[in-house]
Amino acid sequence: MPSFQTPASTQPASAIALPELLAPAGNWDCAKAAVENGADAIYFGLDRFNARMRANNFTEADLPELMAFLHRRGVKGYITLNTLIFTAELPEIEQYLRTVIAAGVDAAIVQDIGLCRLIRALSPDFPIHASTQMTVTSAAGVAFAQGLGCQLVVLARETSIKEINRIQQQLSDRAIAMPLEVFVHGALCVAYSGQCLTSEALGGRSANRGECAQACRMTYDLIADGQPVDVGDRQYLLSPQDLSGLPVLTDLIAAGVSCLKIEGRLKAPEYVANVTQVYRRALDQVAAQLAIATATPQRYVPTDDERYRLEMAFSRGLYTGWFEGIDNQALVHARFGKKRGVLLGQVKSIKPDGITLELQAPVKPGDGVVFDNGHPAAKEEGGRVYGVQRQGRTTLLTFGRRDVNLNRLNVGDYVWKTSDPELDKTVRQSYAGETPQFQQPITVEIYGAVDEPLTAIARDPQGHIAQAESAMPLVSAHSQPLTTDKLTQQFSRLGNTPFRLDALTNHVEGDVMLPVSELNRLRRSLVESLETQRSRPRIWQLAEPAQLPTLLPEPEQPPTRQPELIALVRNQAQLAAAIATEVSTFYCELENPAAYKDLVEWFRHNRRTEAQTIWVAPPRITKPLENYILEQVARSQADGYLIRNYDHLAWFRDLPCIGDFSLNVANPLTAAYFKAQYGLERLTASYDLNIDQLESLLQGSPAHWYEITLHQHMPMFHMEHCVFCAFLSDGKDFRDCGRPCETQTVTLRDRTGTEHVLQADAGCRNTLYNGVAQTGAEYAQRLITAGARQFRIEFLNESPQQVSQTLRHYQQLLSGELSGAKLWKKLQLQSKLGVTRGPMDKDQR
């Protein structure tokens, strides 16, 4: 049994509600596994518009049967529509949504802001859940989602329990009531969801479109000041351990979290069943403790069996992620990036028929193991255990002939248990067959008196109610009357149904009797009525067709102006080179926002003309208690601000603002919302768009709303994880790391030999930039023809001379003096790394 330790909250137990348990379902077997092991709800994708396109997703034709099955079992079903939507897809997704809403789906999990608008136009009451892909990290983000019509917000995985409590307090102060959901278990993305452009940058496969290539699970070499850093066997620098929120379960409940979400729509049904069952039992244990507690709720302590089961389900190591704050040493152990399981120990000796080790976990014949010598990318030895023999403090494991090549093993190799067939069998039995194995509670009330029929009323947790009356009146009982115990015995016989009797209240007057057969009929009638009611689809309001045209922006006559360049620089030397050119608008992004004030003053004393303006960029993420950074930015009194998140929208609302790429503007509905609600002067088109999709965006809304980033080092990973701290110090966070980010230049070298540039920001968050610049020069004329007039050139670590040369080349491109093909060649000669056409190239998709 689990135990409970230190108090987790000062909130009284009676005020704490148990959160919903939300499980993943990539297919029918997974859905059944979740239902039979106690999930309150499942989330699933269809064959399009979801962030797990590699899953065996359901189809539209599956929806009626799936929702009937879930609702009959008292489980909700949420559809994942958590990707960006492109302009040409809007008519199709309107029809898609009509099917979803009409099928009685309980909610849609949504990333795209334009899609939220379309859903709300189609249905005023269909629930929208703001996906973690919306990157909500603060009360301002929750308020933004509420303004879109969302009914629940999934917080970013990087949000700690302390920050959740702070957000809840700020929401309360602002009289905002919004349920909050968090991921409680499963794989952790190292980058902020919705802000990862790695797959897009390296292969034209957008994580914002469900095509993540998992570059975070690859090996990287750490290069500091031009020299390789010896990190031993820690080569998986960006691969976090898997999340397990079980040790902080009571803290999450005390923080008022409304829903706990298990990651894993690409996982097998055994994983879904196993993890769901562990968390269901743990929640029920907490509920029992809260029900009897006379003091504050106590911290949940997982059992050895619970941890074993979670590790065997799938584990790269289990850790509480960011829930307990930042510990960069613990988050990423960096030894491997794939499933391991349970650590059995290390090889002590190698025998002719096996190996010895000091066991740290149970093992038995038939279990599968793998030997880890610190090179997980290479072929590893592994196989089934044949025999287990205790030899004092050590244990001899033997293997079948030719199962394991013992000559390839070394003393000191780690031994991981990767398979437990007995556990797998037990887990599969939990959802095998057609008979419901997880039953939901119902209550029954019994009424009656002599010469009146017996009336039975049943209620389920979802609010359904069923009533049945006996076909004959009650008669006086001279012996064996219908006592509460007898009625409870008869109405609890619910073995083949989705129900179990939680409580029976007997209101029968006097000693009466009724045949057992009639009691059985009443029980069956109640069950049938409840099942029928639960199977009916939810009825949401649904508007008539042709809602989309009413949301699209009206055409506008574009201003007559020549195409112009905008330069984004990252230091004063680059800015000095840029202001000497014909460019008039400059964006500046410094690591330390406190330096903006001096830089802006320097710029105004040194700019070439009064027409040149400087805009500054706050950090991409804003957490609770980080408004002091925004104050530093505002004190610069720049000509305007680059808006990157929801806090920026609120903080700089009455000042000149331009929306950056991180707002993920991919269609006219999203663009129109930011223009109308926040008055942004321009919007940076999403980096997920190729040339055809960019043209559609420009043609589907006023083209002068947008600026296009024509040249840049793509910001691939944007992370709470600090590589500087984790691998160039022994510290946990900024308080004890010694700030190596301020003294060392760091790159991460991938398997192709490309060195990607790592930079830190004011919040100690890291961005890994593509070491190869990309250009859309060859598409500039098409974009100009489509109406685009503002083109951004972003610099990273280029020299002042490279800044001057690059801007001069692009000015020639926009004036027609230089073709895109010739500029491409000049850039290749200019940069020792060359350039790539990037995701704007339609052929990369």
Side-chain angles (χ1 to χ4, degrees), residues 514-533:
L514 195 71
V516 170
S517 59
E518 188 64 5
L519 293 175
N520 291 339
R521 187 189 66 79
L522 289 175
R523 185 187 67 245
R524 289 192 296 269
S525 177
L526 294 177
V527 167
E528 289 172 7
S529 177
L530 287 177
E531 286 196 281
T532 298
Q533 292 179 58

Side-chain angles (χ1 to χ4, degrees), residues 171-183:
L171 293 176
S172 177
D173 293 343
R174 297 167 67 171
I176 295 175
M178 177 70 75
L180 301 179
E181 176 181 308
V182 298
F183 278 89

Side-chain angles (χ1 to χ4, degrees), residues 536-762:
R536 293 177 187 142
R538 292 289 302 269
I539 304 300
W540 306 111
Q541 296 180 55
L542 189 56
E544 293 298 320
Q547 293 301 303
L548 179 58
T550 66
L551 300 176
L552 291 171
E554 292 290 332
E556 291 183 20
Q557 187 66 32
T560 56
R561 64 173 66 154
Q562 293 299 311
E564 60 179 301
L565 288 183
I566 299 159
L568 185 147
V569 298
R570 288 188 165 89
N571 57 55
Q572 184 172 314
Q574 289 179 343
L575 181 59
I579 61 176
T581 69
E582 298 298 317
V583 175
S584 296
T585 304
F586 304 93
Y587 300 157
C588 189
E589 180 172 12
L590 301 181
E591 177 184 343
N592 181 10
Y596 279 141
K597 189 175 188 299
D598 290 341
L599 186 70
V600 169
E601 291 178 0
W602 177 91
F603 170 83
R604 288 178 176 149
H605 282 99
N606 291 277
R607 60 186 169 183
R608 188 173 49 81
T609 72
E610 292 289 318
Q612 289 180 316
T613 60
I614 186 168
W615 302 58
V616 298
R620 277 168 66 181
I621 299 297
T622 303
K623 291 281 200 76
L625 301 181
E626 289 185 357
N627 282 346
Y628 74 94
I629 296 176
L630 304 185
E631 290 174 356
Q632 291 174 339
V633 174
R635 279 200 295 268
S636 70
Q637 296 186 351
D639 296 303
Y641 302 90
L642 207 55
I643 299 302
R644 286 148 163 212
N645 65 40
Y646 312 115
D647 290 83
H648 301 170
L649 286 170
W651 191 271
F652 301 102
R653 183 158 192 161
D654 298 324
L655 298 169
C657 293
I658 291 171
D660 204 3
F661 70 95
S662 52
L663 297 182
N664 286 324
V665 176
N667 61 67
L669 297 188
T670 298
Y673 189 78
F674 283 120
K675 290 288 289 182
Q677 296 295 320
Y678 295 95
L680 301 185
E681 295 192 9
R682 287 194 304 277
L683 296 157
T684 308
S686 166
Y687 291 168
D688 289 282
L689 303 178
N690 65 23
I691 181 61
D692 292 335
Q693 292 151 356
L694 273 171
E695 284 183 316
S696 293
L697 179 64
L698 295 171
Q699 292 161 1
S701 47
H704 65 272
W705 284 5
Y706 305 101
E707 66 183 51
I708 310 297
T709 302
L710 207 56
H711 178 104
Q712 66 164 322
H713 292 266
M714 181 79 87
M716 301 191 301
F717 293 110
H718 189 60
M719 309 173 285
E720 194 79 18
H721 170 53
C722 182
V723 176
F724 295 95
C725 177
F727 300 100
L728 294 175
S729 85
D730 295 323
K732 292 182 177 181
D733 58 25
F734 71 95
R735 289 168 292 194
D736 59 1
C737 71
R739 307 286 292 182
C741 58
E742 296 178 353
T743 58
Q744 294 183 272
T745 300
V746 171
T747 59
L748 302 188
R749 186 166 59 204
D750 67 19
R751 295 177 300 170
T752 71
T754 302
E755 292 188 24
H756 304 291
V757 179
L758 188 74
Q759 291 193 349
D761 69 11

Side-chain angles (χ1 to χ4, degrees), residues 48-51 81-87 89-90 93 109-115 131 133-135 193-197 200 206-210 646 661-667 670 674 684-689 693 845:
R48 298 198 65 190
F49 307 117
N50 78 89
L81 296 171
N82 51 345
T83 64
L84 299 184
I85 307 301
F86 299 149
T87 305
E89 296 170 332
L90 288 171
I93 201 165
I109 303 170
V110 180
Q111 173 187 15
D112 192 273
I113 288 160
L115 184 57
S131 169
Q133 294 281 121
M134 277 197 185
T135 325
S193 294
Q195 302 295 314
C196 183
L197 293 162
E200 182 71 76
S206 169
N208 281 325
R209 294 282 291 177
Y646 312 115
F661 70 95
S662 52
L663 297 182
N664 286 324
V665 176
N667 61 67
T670 298
F674 283 120
T684 308
S686 166
Y687 291 168
D688 289 282
L689 303 178
Q693 292 151 356
R845 292 183 182 272

Side-chain angles (χ1 to χ4, degrees), residues 25-27 46 50 52-58 265-267:
N27 55 44
L46 297 184
N50 78 89
R52 287 293 183 270
M53 292 308 296
R54 290 180 291 136
N56 295 322
N57 293 300
F58 294 94
R265 280 195 293 125
L266 292 175
K267 300 291 199 306

